[in-house]
Short mmCIF file of all heavy atoms in Angstrom, two decimals:
data_model
loop_
_atom_site.label_atom_id
_atom_site.label_comp_id
_atom_site.label_asym_id
_atom_site.label_seq_id
_atom_site.Cartn_x
_atom_site.Cartn_y
_atom_site.Cartn_z
N GLY A 1 -0.94 -21.98 -1.53
CA GLY A 1 -2.24 -21.58 -2.07
C GLY A 1 -3.02 -20.61 -1.22
O GLY A 1 -4.14 -20.23 -1.59
N VAL A 2 -2.46 -20.20 -0.08
CA VAL A 2 -3.16 -19.26 0.80
C VAL A 2 -3.20 -17.88 0.15
O VAL A 2 -2.22 -17.42 -0.44
CB VAL A 2 -2.46 -19.20 2.17
CG1 VAL A 2 -2.87 -17.95 2.94
CG2 VAL A 2 -2.78 -20.44 2.98
N SER A 3 -4.35 -17.21 0.27
CA SER A 3 -4.51 -15.85 -0.25
C SER A 3 -5.09 -14.97 0.84
O SER A 3 -5.68 -15.44 1.81
CB SER A 3 -5.42 -15.85 -1.47
OG SER A 3 -6.71 -16.38 -1.11
N VAL A 4 -4.92 -13.66 0.66
CA VAL A 4 -5.30 -12.68 1.69
C VAL A 4 -6.28 -11.67 1.10
O VAL A 4 -5.99 -11.05 0.07
CB VAL A 4 -4.06 -11.94 2.24
CG1 VAL A 4 -4.47 -10.95 3.33
CG2 VAL A 4 -3.02 -12.92 2.75
N GLY A 5 -7.41 -11.49 1.78
CA GLY A 5 -8.32 -10.41 1.45
C GLY A 5 -8.05 -9.24 2.37
O GLY A 5 -8.16 -9.37 3.59
N VAL A 6 -7.67 -8.11 1.83
CA VAL A 6 -7.33 -6.93 2.63
C VAL A 6 -8.60 -6.09 2.79
O VAL A 6 -9.12 -5.54 1.82
CB VAL A 6 -6.21 -6.11 1.98
CG1 VAL A 6 -5.86 -4.91 2.85
CG2 VAL A 6 -4.98 -6.99 1.75
N VAL A 7 -9.09 -6.03 4.02
CA VAL A 7 -10.37 -5.38 4.29
C VAL A 7 -10.19 -3.87 4.29
O VAL A 7 -9.31 -3.33 4.96
CB VAL A 7 -10.96 -5.85 5.63
CG1 VAL A 7 -12.35 -5.24 5.84
CG2 VAL A 7 -11.04 -7.37 5.68
N ASP A 8 -11.04 -3.19 3.55
CA ASP A 8 -11.00 -1.73 3.44
C ASP A 8 -11.72 -1.13 4.65
O ASP A 8 -12.95 -1.20 4.75
CB ASP A 8 -11.66 -1.30 2.14
CG ASP A 8 -11.63 0.21 1.94
OD1 ASP A 8 -10.86 0.89 2.64
OD2 ASP A 8 -12.38 0.72 1.08
N VAL A 9 -10.95 -0.57 5.59
CA VAL A 9 -11.51 0.05 6.78
C VAL A 9 -10.79 1.38 7.02
O VAL A 9 -9.62 1.54 6.64
CB VAL A 9 -11.37 -0.85 8.03
CG1 VAL A 9 -12.28 -2.07 7.93
CG2 VAL A 9 -9.94 -1.26 8.27
N PRO A 10 -11.44 2.34 7.67
CA PRO A 10 -10.76 3.60 7.98
C PRO A 10 -9.73 3.40 9.08
O PRO A 10 -9.97 2.70 10.06
CB PRO A 10 -11.90 4.51 8.45
CG PRO A 10 -12.97 3.58 8.92
CD PRO A 10 -12.86 2.34 8.08
N ALA A 11 -8.54 4.00 8.89
CA ALA A 11 -7.48 3.94 9.89
C ALA A 11 -6.47 5.03 9.54
O ALA A 11 -6.46 5.56 8.41
CB ALA A 11 -6.80 2.58 9.90
N LEU A 12 -5.63 5.38 10.51
CA LEU A 12 -4.55 6.32 10.24
C LEU A 12 -3.70 5.82 9.08
O LEU A 12 -3.47 4.62 8.94
CB LEU A 12 -3.65 6.47 11.47
CG LEU A 12 -4.21 7.17 12.71
CD1 LEU A 12 -3.14 7.22 13.79
CD2 LEU A 12 -4.69 8.57 12.37
N ASP A 13 -3.22 6.76 8.27
CA ASP A 13 -2.42 6.37 7.12
C ASP A 13 -1.20 5.54 7.52
O ASP A 13 -0.85 4.57 6.84
CB ASP A 13 -1.96 7.62 6.36
CG ASP A 13 -3.09 8.27 5.56
OD1 ASP A 13 -4.14 7.61 5.37
OD2 ASP A 13 -2.92 9.43 5.13
N VAL A 14 -0.55 5.91 8.62
CA VAL A 14 0.65 5.19 9.04
C VAL A 14 0.30 3.74 9.40
O VAL A 14 1.11 2.83 9.18
CB VAL A 14 1.34 5.92 10.20
CG1 VAL A 14 0.50 5.89 11.48
CG2 VAL A 14 2.72 5.34 10.47
N ILE A 15 -0.90 3.51 9.92
CA ILE A 15 -1.33 2.16 10.26
C ILE A 15 -1.69 1.39 8.99
O ILE A 15 -1.30 0.23 8.83
CB ILE A 15 -2.52 2.21 11.25
CG1 ILE A 15 -2.06 2.79 12.58
CG2 ILE A 15 -3.14 0.83 11.44
CD1 ILE A 15 -3.17 3.00 13.60
N ARG A 16 -2.42 2.02 8.10
CA ARG A 16 -2.78 1.37 6.84
C ARG A 16 -1.51 0.99 6.07
O ARG A 16 -1.42 -0.09 5.49
CB ARG A 16 -3.66 2.29 6.00
CG ARG A 16 -5.05 2.48 6.56
CD ARG A 16 -5.78 3.62 5.84
NE ARG A 16 -6.00 3.33 4.44
CZ ARG A 16 -7.11 2.81 3.94
NH1 ARG A 16 -8.13 2.50 4.74
NH2 ARG A 16 -7.24 2.61 2.65
N ASP A 17 -0.51 1.89 6.08
CA ASP A 17 0.74 1.61 5.38
C ASP A 17 1.47 0.42 6.01
O ASP A 17 2.05 -0.41 5.30
CB ASP A 17 1.65 2.85 5.40
CG ASP A 17 1.11 3.99 4.53
OD1 ASP A 17 0.19 3.74 3.73
OD2 ASP A 17 1.62 5.12 4.68
N ALA A 18 1.45 0.35 7.34
CA ALA A 18 2.13 -0.75 8.03
C ALA A 18 1.46 -2.08 7.72
O ALA A 18 2.14 -3.10 7.52
CB ALA A 18 2.15 -0.48 9.53
N VAL A 19 0.14 -2.09 7.70
CA VAL A 19 -0.60 -3.31 7.38
C VAL A 19 -0.31 -3.73 5.93
O VAL A 19 -0.05 -4.91 5.64
CB VAL A 19 -2.10 -3.11 7.62
CG1 VAL A 19 -2.92 -4.23 6.98
CG2 VAL A 19 -2.38 -3.02 9.12
N ALA A 20 -0.34 -2.75 5.03
CA ALA A 20 -0.06 -3.06 3.62
C ALA A 20 1.34 -3.62 3.45
O ALA A 20 1.56 -4.57 2.68
CB ALA A 20 -0.25 -1.81 2.77
N ALA A 21 2.31 -3.06 4.18
CA ALA A 21 3.69 -3.53 4.09
C ALA A 21 3.82 -4.96 4.63
O ALA A 21 4.55 -5.78 4.06
CB ALA A 21 4.62 -2.59 4.85
N ALA A 22 3.09 -5.27 5.70
CA ALA A 22 3.15 -6.61 6.27
C ALA A 22 2.55 -7.64 5.31
O ALA A 22 3.09 -8.74 5.14
CB ALA A 22 2.42 -6.65 7.61
N VAL A 23 1.44 -7.28 4.69
CA VAL A 23 0.81 -8.20 3.73
C VAL A 23 1.71 -8.38 2.52
O VAL A 23 1.93 -9.52 2.06
CB VAL A 23 -0.58 -7.68 3.32
CG1 VAL A 23 -1.16 -8.52 2.19
CG2 VAL A 23 -1.53 -7.68 4.52
N ALA A 24 2.26 -7.29 2.02
CA ALA A 24 3.16 -7.40 0.86
C ALA A 24 4.40 -8.22 1.21
O ALA A 24 4.85 -9.06 0.42
CB ALA A 24 3.55 -6.00 0.39
N GLY A 25 4.93 -8.00 2.39
CA GLY A 25 6.13 -8.71 2.82
C GLY A 25 5.91 -10.20 3.01
O GLY A 25 6.86 -10.99 2.97
N SER A 26 4.66 -10.59 3.21
CA SER A 26 4.36 -12.02 3.39
C SER A 26 4.55 -12.82 2.11
O SER A 26 4.71 -14.04 2.15
CB SER A 26 2.92 -12.20 3.88
OG SER A 26 1.98 -11.97 2.82
N GLY A 27 4.51 -12.12 0.97
CA GLY A 27 4.61 -12.80 -0.31
C GLY A 27 3.36 -13.54 -0.73
O GLY A 27 3.35 -14.23 -1.77
N LEU A 28 2.28 -13.42 0.04
CA LEU A 28 1.03 -14.12 -0.28
C LEU A 28 0.19 -13.25 -1.22
O LEU A 28 0.14 -12.03 -1.07
CB LEU A 28 0.25 -14.40 1.01
CG LEU A 28 0.96 -15.26 2.05
CD1 LEU A 28 0.15 -15.32 3.34
CD2 LEU A 28 1.21 -16.66 1.51
N PRO A 29 -0.50 -13.85 -2.18
CA PRO A 29 -1.35 -13.06 -3.07
C PRO A 29 -2.47 -12.38 -2.29
O PRO A 29 -3.05 -12.99 -1.38
CB PRO A 29 -1.89 -14.09 -4.06
CG PRO A 29 -1.73 -15.41 -3.40
CD PRO A 29 -0.54 -15.29 -2.50
N ALA A 30 -2.76 -11.14 -2.63
CA ALA A 30 -3.74 -10.36 -1.87
C ALA A 30 -4.57 -9.51 -2.80
O ALA A 30 -4.13 -9.11 -3.88
CB ALA A 30 -3.02 -9.47 -0.85
N ALA A 31 -5.79 -9.22 -2.36
CA ALA A 31 -6.70 -8.36 -3.11
C ALA A 31 -7.64 -7.69 -2.10
O ALA A 31 -7.85 -8.21 -1.00
CB ALA A 31 -7.50 -9.16 -4.14
#
């Protein structure tokens, strides 16, 4: 039942992509 809120903050695209990939890879629902 754990869910993830992905905070919208400025960062390099490569960093934002890496964070997004880690959250997606976790399999946890996110918004």
Side-chain angles (χ1 to χ4, degrees):
V2 162
S3 59
V4 181
V6 181
V7 184
D8 182 15
V9 290
L12 291 181
D13 286 346
V14 67
I15 294 175
R16 290 168 63 96
D17 290 347
V19 166
V23 172
S26 74
L28 301 173

